[in-house]
Amino acid sequence: MVKHHLFWPLVMLGALLLFNLLYEPDFFSIQMRAGKLYGSLIDILNFGAPLILVAIGMTLVIATKGIDLSVGSIVAIAGAMACMFLSQGTDQNLLSLVLSAIGIALVLALVLGLWNGMLVAVFGIQPIIATLILMVAGRGVAQLITGGQIITVSSSSYKFIGAGSLLTLPFSIFIAGGVLLIAILLTRKTALGLFIESVGCNPEASRLAGIRSRVVMIAVYVFCGLCAGIAGLLLSANVSSADGNNAGLWYELDAILAVVIGGTSLNGGRFYLLGTVVGALIIQTLTTTIYMIGVPPEITLVVKAFVVLLVCLIQSETFRKTLAHRFKTRRYPAESEVKRHA
Amino acid sequence: MLKRQYIPIVVTAALLALMFAAGSFRYTGFFSLQVLLNLLIDNAFLIIVAVGMTFVIVSGGIDLSVGSVIALTTMISASLVQEQGWPPAVVIPLVLVLGAAFGWVMGAIIHYFKIQPFIVTLAGMFLARGLCYVISINTITIDHPFYTSMAQTKINLPGGFFISISVIIALVVVAAAIYLAHYTRFGRNTYALGGSESSALLMGLPVARTKILVYTFSGLCSALAGVVFTFYMLSGYGLHAVGLELDAIAAVVIGGTLLTGGVGYILGTFFGVLIQGVIQTIISFEGTLSSWWTKIVIGLLLLLFIVLQRLLSARRQMQKA
């Protein structure tokens, strides 16, 4: 059981939740108010939904040995585009208007994902650099769309995406769950997952083996862009406004962190979607915990830094060996002597 | 006659000249030495950071922590000088040592535990930024006479032009880095390491020492840039220099350094920073253009130079084959 890839992430999540329970006894309590469920756990799921979405897309990109730094910018652009389109309509509650705003934003996110994919797969630019371009320019584009202002919309049907509820649960959970389900079905019930992993191991070898590695690579970046776009819609709908400057700031880093905590190696070739979800939940729980125990939220960064380092060190084989060696020699002081005589 | 390895740097310099010329034709008052010198004054800290970043990228790594280290340096300086009353003569060497130590630790983790530089320096970025807030979440204004005099002193040049002390520091750093990169064993080792780590190891070069030293040097540069930034802003604040690591990486790339490591020029990085400065100056002269255009133009330039590098390296490979 310890060998299972979800073991350590789940232990970490459990420990965090347990800490919260000890600190605040009614942390797990969930109440029903006006037909909606309220509670800290629901909040974690609700506020964690955008991060889960971005991290799912990022998992597949990292599985192909890539990385997408532009997701935060895509989040900002998608939110800005949707809100800009909505704010120009006369009746913002009109369903067709809301749907076309969503459609336009998502198509834009797709195009941006395609752009990243083309740079990486067709032009052969290192992923970290290829996506850096959009990361830098993207915030400028988002501000260009909003004209540097924070655009506020007053559409209750748009707000539903981010703040509405379905079957007593926040609607955003269903969106994240749906995307997760689609991703799992596509990668684990078809050969697509295998293709992605083989491209991550060795793109050249998989191309020779008959996999169209370029298409696979472009596809994962497009999917990642789409996920970031949906997350952008959730975030902007939740607050009914779009801020080109601050929406989705540092999301790329949180998403990468979630992927790494979930056990996906940054060297590509293996990925765990459920691990990523647990990773994203750990990050969200960590943030909630820090808020709850009254530490200034800014210190989240310090805690995150140590979590990143700890997780990476545990993943590092050299580190584990060093540690194991140390413990071993402590436990059996005579072992080295025995070996010498043998 | 012109070696191909110098093409990127020549393109960068030509682009800088072209942009400056375009600005001069379009706006009155643009064509003056002082506008050029202001580029140096306003970007002195960026030059220093980008120089450190060049070494890291040439060695095949990346350092995302530089902006945060700058913020941390301003914060530590401000709190020690302003709130604890320490003399700057103690504080400045102290922050430089801290910055170098920070880089050293990151380099050691990267090397000994074989974790990707991206992740380790990301953790460093979170850590340094977070530590700023541990010190204080507010701005600490500095009114110590030493800092204000460093900020306000103008060094007059013939013809009524002036530069600041920070510019001198930045130029000294650039000169020292050029010497370090091209005329010392450490520089050679860095290039060799970036070219191929396993070859460098097989050749018997001190890979561990070089790698760790590169990050130490970058940490030192960031701390020095932080000191210069403190002179510039006269305050310590946890949100100072947000996103500066990207500006630095962009400057390095625009300067013709290959992101895969092994090829790069300090002088190119210097031009890269100036190009970013010219873009900002043009946008401020234009008046109707908003600041976000800076980001978009820099993004496009990044694209241009990356594609150029691809083309050049592709041609080289074809010739080999």
Side-chain angles (χ1 to χ4, degrees), chain A residues 190-270:
Chain A
T190 70
L192 197 61
L194 208 59
F195 289 173
I196 292 174
E197 290 184 333
S198 92
V199 169
C201 279
N202 189 337
E204 191 56 28
S206 44
R207 191 183 64 80
L208 294 175
I211 296 171
R212 304 172 85 182
S213 51
R214 277 188 183 173
V215 177
V216 171
M217 275 168 120
I218 294 176
V220 292
Y221 281 95
V222 169
F223 180 71
C224 186
L226 186 64
C227 285
I230 300 173
L233 291 179
L234 285 185
L235 278 171
S236 67
N238 193 22
V239 291
S240 282
S241 65
D243 178 356
N245 217 3
N246 294 315
L249 205 60
W250 307 128
Y251 250 68
E252 51 283 338
L253 304 180
D254 276 353
I256 295 167
L257 183 54
V259 174
V260 175
I261 292 178
T264 301
S265 159
L266 281 164
N267 293 323
R270 240 183 331 157

Side-chain angles (χ1 to χ4, degrees), chain B residues 102-285:
Chain B
F102 196 81
W104 184 84
V105 170
M106 288 195 301
I109 293 176
I110 290 168
H111 181 76
Y112 288 115
F113 298 127
K114 301 200 169 38
I115 305 179
Q116 287 177 339
F118 176 77
I119 291 295
V120 175
T121 55
L122 180 68
M125 171 182 176
F126 281 154
L127 183 64
R129 194 65 76 185
L131 286 176
C132 292
Y133 293 115
V134 174
I135 296 173
S136 165
I137 54 169
N138 299 317
T139 315
I140 305 175
T141 316
I142 300 177
D143 55 9
H144 191 280
F146 174 76
Y147 279 88
T148 47
S149 74
M150 287 302 269
Q152 286 158 2
T153 304
K154 289 178 179 174
I155 299 171
N156 289 310
L157 299 178
F161 304 111
F162 65 89
I163 51 175
S164 64
I165 295 172
S166 305
V167 175
I168 308 278
I169 299 176
L171 291 178
V172 168
V173 169
V174 170
I178 289 175
Y179 175 75
L180 201 59
H182 302 299
Y183 300 98
T184 64
R185 190 170 291 174
F186 169 69
R188 288 271 156 211
N189 290 347
T190 308
Y191 280 92
L193 181 62
S196 165
E197 187 173 338
S198 43
S199 308
L201 198 66
L202 289 173
M203 274 194 286
L205 299 180
V207 168
R209 194 175 69 204
T210 311
K211 211 177 202 176
I212 296 172
L213 268 181
V214 161
Y215 287 94
T216 312
F217 182 69
S218 174
L220 178 68
C221 282
S222 314
L224 184 61
V227 172
V228 169
F229 200 73
T230 322
F231 295 156
Y232 188 68
M233 301 297 273
L234 284 179
S235 65
Y237 186 34
L239 277 179
H240 272 333
V242 168
L244 196 84
E245 49 282 338
L246 295 177
D247 290 341
I249 295 172
V252 173
V253 174
I254 294 173
T257 299
L258 273 190
L259 278 151
T260 41
V263 180
Y265 315 94
I266 305 294
L267 199 61
T269 301
F270 178 69
F271 288 142
V273 173
L274 291 188
I275 284 184
Q276 294 193 24
V278 169
I279 296 171
Q280 258 149 11
T281 313
I282 288 179
I283 283 167
S284 68
F285 265 80

Side-chain angles (χ1 to χ4, degrees), chain A residues 30 37-48 168-170 173:
Chain A
I30 292 172
L37 289 175
Y38 281 94
S40 304
L41 293 181
I42 306 284
D43 277 350
I44 290 176
L45 281 176
N46 188 15
F47 294 129
T168 72
L169 284 173
I173 296 179

Side-chain angles (χ1 to χ4, degrees), chain A residues 157-174:
Chain A
S157 18
Y158 184 64
K159 194 173 169 61
F160 181 79
I161 307 171
S165 63
L166 185 74
L167 299 172
T168 72
L169 284 173
F171 187 58
S172 52
I173 296 179
F174 289 95

Side-chain angles (χ1 to χ4, degrees), chain A residues 13-268:
Chain A
L13 183 60
L16 262 177
L17 289 173
L18 197 68
F19 173 80
N20 281 318
L21 187 67
L22 292 177
Y23 192 84
E24 175 76 53
D26 50 349
F27 185 76
F28 282 8
S29 79
I30 292 172
Q31 293 161 347
M32 185 73 120
R33 256 184 264 159
K36 286 184 194 176
L37 289 175
Y38 281 94
S40 304
L41 293 181
I42 306 284
D43 277 350
I44 290 176
L45 281 176
N46 188 15
F47 294 129
L51 182 59
I52 292 176
L53 278 170
V54 174
I56 289 172
M58 186 70 87
T59 310
L60 296 188
V61 169
I62 289 181
T64 65
K65 217 178 194 169
I67 204 154
D68 190 346
L69 294 182
S70 68
V71 286
S73 293
I74 297 181
V75 163
I77 292 176
M81 195 66 211
C83 288
M84 190 66 208
F85 191 80
L86 267 180
S87 67
Q88 283 172 350
T90 42
D91 178 14
Q92 294 193 5
N93 273 321
L94 208 64
L95 196 62
S96 60
L97 182 76
V98 174
L99 286 180
S100 42
I102 294 171
I104 286 179
L106 291 186
V107 167
L108 192 60
L110 274 177
V111 171
L112 294 174
L114 186 67
W115 161 262
N116 281 334
M118 293 292 273
L119 287 184
V120 173
V122 179
F123 293 96
I125 300 169
Q126 265 179 297
I128 186 171
I129 304 313
T131 54
L132 180 73
I133 298 173
L134 192 55
M135 183 187 182
V136 175
R139 291 228 166 256
V141 173
Q143 281 169 307
L144 189 69
I145 293 172
T146 62
Q149 311 281 318
I150 294 176
I151 294 185
T152 327
V153 291
S154 57
S155 163
S156 56
S157 18
Y158 184 64
K159 194 173 169 61
F160 181 79
I161 307 171
S165 63
L166 185 74
L167 299 172
T168 72
L169 284 173
F171 187 58
S172 52
I173 296 179
F174 289 95
I175 298 182
V179 172
L180 175 68
L181 198 67
I182 292 171
I184 289 180
L185 286 179
L186 277 180
T187 54
R188 294 307 182 204
K189 295 296 165 197
T190 70
L192 197 61
L194 208 59
F195 289 173
I196 292 174
E197 290 184 333
S198 92
V199 169
C201 279
N202 189 337
E204 191 56 28
S206 44
R207 191 183 64 80
L208 294 175
I211 296 171
R212 304 172 85 182
S213 51
R214 277 188 183 173
V215 177
V216 171
M217 275 168 120
I218 294 176
V220 292
Y221 281 95
V222 169
F223 180 71
C224 186
L226 186 64
C227 285
I230 300 173
L233 291 179
L234 285 185
L235 278 171
S236 67
N238 193 22
V239 291
S240 282
S241 65
D243 178 356
N245 217 3
N246 294 315
L249 205 60
W250 307 128
Y251 250 68
E252 51 283 338
L253 304 180
D254 276 353
I256 295 167
L257 183 54
V259 174
V260 175
I261 292 178
T264 301
S265 159
L266 281 164
N267 293 323

